[in-house]
Amino acid sequence: MTYTCSMKLTLQLKLLPTPEQHTALLATMRAFNAAASFAAQVAFTAQVFGQPAIHARCYRELRERFGVSSQMAVRAIGKAVETFKRDKTCCPVFRADGAMTYDHHMLGWKDPAHVSLLTLQGRQIVAMVYGEYQAGFMPRLKGQVDLVLRKGTLYLHATIDVPEDPSIHPTHFLGVDLGLVEIATDSEGHSYSGAAIDAVRQRTALARQTFQATGTTSAKRRLKKMAGTQARFQHWVNHGLAKRLVQYAKDTKAALVLEDLTHIRDRITVRRRQRARLQNWSFRQLREFLTYKVQRAGVPLLFVDPRNTSRTCAACAYVDQRNRRSQAVFSCLHCGHTANADHNAARNLATRGAVSRPDFVAPRGSQLAFSW
Ligand SMILES: [Zn+2]
C-alpha cells in the first residue's frame, strides 16, 4: 500500500545583522540581482535559455562587472534561467532587492543562533532568531535558502518537505470545536481546559481596565508587564492543548478536523463582554501550533467550512437556528437529539471532514496521495 503525505513548509528565519552586516548583505543582494538582470539580457539577446549557454556568454563579465563570487554568478544565471522556464517571450528585469538564492557553497549553519553568509565583503557570521516550532525543523535544513528583504528586515526563507510518509493511516475523523467556555471540545465529547484558564483571562482583563483608567507612568509599566505575562500564559495553554489533541489523534488513528479559523471571529455571536475575552484569546496561535505538531506526529489535519456547524443536528442533519437553545445546549427541533452544543458542533466538523475527503480513509490496498 502506498500512502504519501507531504507538505512544503517554509521556515522563516529572521536575521539580526549588525549595521555593517546589514549594509554588506544589501549590497550583495543588489549586485546579485543586477547580475541576474544582466544575464537575462544577454540570454534574451542571443535567444539562448539554458544555464551552460548563458554561462559561456557572460560568466566572466558578471564576475568583473558586478564583483560577485563565482557561485553567486552561477546562481544569478540560475535566476534568469528559472524565469525563462516560465516565459521566454520577454526579458525580465529583477528588482534590486529581490530574493537572492544561497546554496551550501555560500552559506553555512554555524550553530542554532548563527548562520554564515557570503557577501561581497567575504563571509559574515550573522545572528538569527526563529520560533520554537521552527527549531524542530532546523536539522532538516539543507540545500538552498532565499535571502529576502521585507519592510527593511532581512530573512532567510527555507523550504522543507515534511513528512514524506506519515506514521499514521487515519481510520476516522476527529472534529474539534473551539469555543469560549471550553477552549476545545472534540467529536467524541472530550473537552479540553476550562474554568481555570478563563479565570486568569478575566482577571487580567479586569486589571487592565483598572490600569488603563489610571493612566499613570507606573500603571503603564504594569500594563506592559501584564501583556507579557498573558502572552506567555496563552502560549503555554495553546502549546499544551495542541499537544494533547495531536497525541490523542495519533493514538486513536484519527485525522483532525478543525473549522477554518479565519472565520471564527465573525461566526461566533457573543455579547460585548464575551467578545472582549475572545479577542484576547489567540485561536490563530493554536492553529499554528497544531499545524507544526501534526507534521511531526504524522497526523493529517483538515480545515473545513464551519458555517452552520452550531445550528446543524449531528444526528439528523436538520438545520435551524433554534436548535441551539443556549450557549451550552443543543436540542434538535426535528428529531429531539439533545447534546452539549460544542460536542454537537464537533461531530458536524468530523462529518464535514469525512465528506470533504472521502478518499482519505481508504480501503486497504488502494493508492492515495494527500497533498495539504
Ligand atoms: Zn435532529
Side-chain angles (χ1 to χ4, degrees):
M1 181 167 61
T2 315
Y3 174 61
T4 57
C5 173
S6 100
M7 174 187 189
K8 289 239 186 277
L9 181 74
T10 301
L11 296 188
Q12 179 173 279
L13 315 172
K14 184 179 179 179
L15 296 179
L16 302 173
T18 64
E20 294 76 24
Q21 288 176 335
H22 186 88
T23 306
L25 284 166
L26 275 190
T28 306
M29 225 175 176
R30 293 198 174 113
F32 171 85
N33 282 299
S37 292
F38 184 84
Q41 182 65 55
V42 169
F44 193 73
T45 306
Q47 288 289 296
V48 294
F49 301 106
Q51 180 101 22
I54 305 176
H55 188 104
R57 281 172 173 79
C58 68
Y59 170 78
R60 195 171 297 274
E61 192 166 357
L62 294 183
R63 298 286 316 271
E64 286 163 7
R65 194 193 269 241
F66 303 100
V68 292
S69 79
S70 159
Q71 198 59 24
M72 284 175 197
V74 170
R75 288 292 164 185
I77 294 167
K79 184 165 180 169
V81 170
E82 284 305 309
T83 311
F84 284 129
K85 272 185 194 162
R86 292 191 294 272
D87 184 4
K88 293 183 179 62
T89 63
C90 66
C91 182
V93 176
F94 299 107
R95 269 190 15 243
D97 56 2
M100 172 176 177
T101 308
Y102 270 85
D103 62 26
H104 68 281
H105 296 290
M106 299 141 72
L107 162 152
W109 304 106
K110 303 306 284 182
D111 60 60
H114 295 88
V115 61
S116 159
L117 295 168
L118 186 61
T119 72
L120 301 182
Q121 277 81 49
R123 287 191 179 266
Q124 305 283 334
I125 309 293
V126 183
M128 59 179 177
V129 286
Y130 43 85
E132 74 173 276
Y133 292 93
Q134 319 230 350
F137 293 104
M138 292 300 280
R140 287 175 189 266
L141 280 183
K142 51 178 188 250
Q144 61 194 51
V145 302
D146 282 332
L147 176 67
V148 175
L149 180 72
R150 235 183 41 211
K151 291 182 182 169
T153 303
L154 288 162
Y155 297 89
L156 291 180
H157 284 182
T159 306
I160 54 172
D161 277 314
V162 283
E164 275 305 317
D165 199 351
S167 45
I168 78 151
H169 186 97
T171 57
H172 66 288
F173 295 83
L174 185 72
V176 181
D177 182 70
L178 300 175
L180 289 172
V181 181
E182 305 295 344
I183 292 179
T185 304
D186 72 26
S187 50
E188 293 171 13
H190 309 112
S191 60
Y192 298 79
S193 124
I197 287 160
D198 209 45
V200 175
R201 273 189 272 164
Q202 285 196 53
R203 201 167 60 225
T204 41
L206 192 71
R208 176 173 295 126
Q209 280 170 13
T210 315
F211 288 131
Q212 270 165 353
T214 318
T216 61
T217 313
S218 78
K220 277 177 190 155
R221 202 162 48 229
R222 287 286 298 275
L223 268 173
K224 204 171 164 187
K225 196 174 158 196
M226 241 171 49
T229 307
Q230 185 165 3
R232 279 190 299 278
F233 177 70
Q234 175 182 292
H235 186 276
W236 174 75
V237 169
N238 275 341
H239 179 80
L241 175 56
K243 192 171 161 183
R244 280 166 65 197
L245 273 169
V246 171
Q247 189 59 48
Y248 184 72
K250 185 173 179 160
D251 291 346
T252 59
K253 295 195 166 138
L256 282 176
V257 187
L258 270 84
E259 51 196 306
D260 191 340
L261 297 185
T262 50
H263 304 301
I264 194 163
R265 286 185 184 173
D266 312 328
R267 181 182 69 88
I268 300 180
T269 45
V270 286
R271 280 170 294 146
R272 222 158 61 99
R273 200 168 134 264
Q274 285 175 314
R275 193 177 303 134
R277 290 193 305 176
L278 178 62
Q279 277 163 2
N280 276 334
W281 194 249
S282 172
F283 288 104
R284 272 170 218 285
Q285 184 182 53
L286 177 58
R287 171 185 161 125
E288 186 195 329
F289 288 3
L290 277 170
T291 308
Y292 279 106
K293 283 181 192 295
V294 292
Q295 283 155 17
R296 278 204 240 174
V299 170
L301 170 64
L302 308 177
F303 291 102
V304 296
D305 184 351
R307 228 169 307 164
N308 288 335
T309 41
S310 62
R311 300 169 179 177
T312 303
C313 175
C316 76
Y318 176 71
V319 184
D320 194 315
Q321 188 168 2
R322 292 167 298 166
N323 282 347
R324 181 119 186 201
R325 292 294 161 83
S326 66
Q327 189 67 33
V329 179
F330 181 94
S331 185
C332 180
L333 293 175
H334 181 70
C335 77
H337 168 68
T338 300
N340 170 286
D342 295 338
H343 180 202
N344 182 74
R347 281 182 63 189
N348 287 326
L349 290 171
T351 306
R352 281 183 197 191
V355 169
S356 73
R357 303 293 308 208
D359 57 323
F360 208 68
V361 178
R364 281 197 163 278
S366 73
Q367 272 203 330
L368 62 87
F370 175 53
S371 60
W372 296 66

